[in-house]
Amino acid sequence: MTYTDAINLMHEYTKSEALRKHMYSVEASMRAYARKFGEDEETWAIVGILHDFDYERYPTIPEHPLKGSEILKEKGYSEDICIAILGHASFTGVPRESLMARVLYACDELCGFITAVAIIRPNKIVDLEISSVKKKLKDKAFAKNVSREDIALGVKELNVPFDEHIKFVIDAMKTDKERLGL
Ligand SMILES: [Fe+2]
Ligand SMILES: [Fe+2]
């Protein structure tokens, strides 16, 4: 399965522009990390673009991401892709053993949070600093549906310095800012 197959499938299932943009943001981060670690960029991009593709149709636990993962398996997506996607929802109990699965988990909630911070700024993501993101993380009332615990656990599992990870994801999202509307 190619990236084009994956994005077409995501668009078929997801009509919400905000949710599409969330998946673009995770894709951008996955691509950047794949390049950094010398991994297969297309596979990592596919994981990013598809990780929530079933969410609009199946928003409840455990359907998302179990249902989506079944659909992907039927369509011939590889085991490592399905396992990484299952791993982004901790309740599945599927361990994040691969680097790809750990990166997905470390980027998912953080991408959502960075979007929430950037979207209300005059220059959006262009001049967004690590310090602004960290300040907002401490503000419990801000984007309160984003789990700070998940973000912290993701960074811990990836074993990278927190600031470095935030900077890396901001920079990755910047490279795709037109598509993200940021
Ligand atoms: Fe999800
Ligand atoms: Fe997500």
Side-chain angles (χ1 to χ4, degrees):
M1 306 305 285
T2 65
Y3 172 75
T4 307
D5 296 320
I7 195 165
N8 288 341
L9 179 67
M10 190 276 269
H11 285 163
E12 182 193 329
Y13 274 71
T14 307
K15 301 302 166 196
S16 154
E17 208 37 55
L19 188 52
R20 284 182 176 189
K21 284 176 179 165
H22 168 65
M23 282 179 272
Y24 301 149
S25 68
V26 178
E27 177 202 324
S29 306
M30 294 297 290
R31 281 185 183 277
Y33 266 119
R35 286 195 293 269
K36 176 182 165 142
F37 294 133
E39 297 284 341
D40 185 69
E41 185 175 330
E42 185 166 23
T43 304
W44 286 45
I46 289 171
V47 164
I49 204 73
L50 285 177
H51 79 281
D52 282 337
F53 90 96
D54 60 340
Y55 185 78
E56 197 173 282
R57 286 200 199 174
Y58 308 103
T60 50
I61 288 176
E63 282 191 305
H64 166 69
L66 293 180
K67 187 80 192 161
S69 166
E70 270 168 38
I71 295 166
L72 295 180
K73 215 170 277 173
E74 275 164 27
K75 290 191 178 291
Y77 285 89
S78 68
E79 183 86 3
D80 56 336
I81 288 176
C82 295
I83 286 177
I85 290 177
L86 285 170
H88 92 273
S90 291
F91 77 84
T92 63
V94 174
R96 293 178 283 273
E97 280 169 349
S98 71
L99 184 57
M100 183 166 75
R102 291 203 300 275
V103 170
L104 173 64
Y105 185 69
C107 293
D108 183 19
E109 291 287 287
L110 185 60
C111 281
F113 193 79
I114 290 172
T115 299
V117 176
I119 210 153
I120 53 174
R121 304 175 78 253
N123 296 325
K124 305 277 195 292
I125 201 163
V126 175
D127 52 3
L128 179 61
E129 303 276 355
I130 304 169
S131 57
S132 311
V133 175
K134 289 179 85 175
K135 205 172 133 195
K136 289 286 191 190
L137 279 169
K138 284 186 196 124
D139 177 356
K140 295 278 183 284
F142 181 81
K144 54 181 189 292
N145 53 330
V146 176
S147 164
R148 273 58 167 178
E149 290 74 28
D150 285 359
I151 291 176
L153 180 61
V155 173
K156 195 176 157 219
E157 288 182 3
L158 193 55
N159 199 18
V160 287
F162 195 31
D163 287 20
E164 211 175 89
H165 180 56
I166 294 172
K167 172 93 169 71
F168 193 87
V169 172
I170 291 173
D171 288 346
M173 286 173 63
K174 262 189 213 170
T175 66
D176 208 4
K177 63 183 167 54
E178 277 78 28
R179 198 165 61 143
L180 302 181
L182 296 176

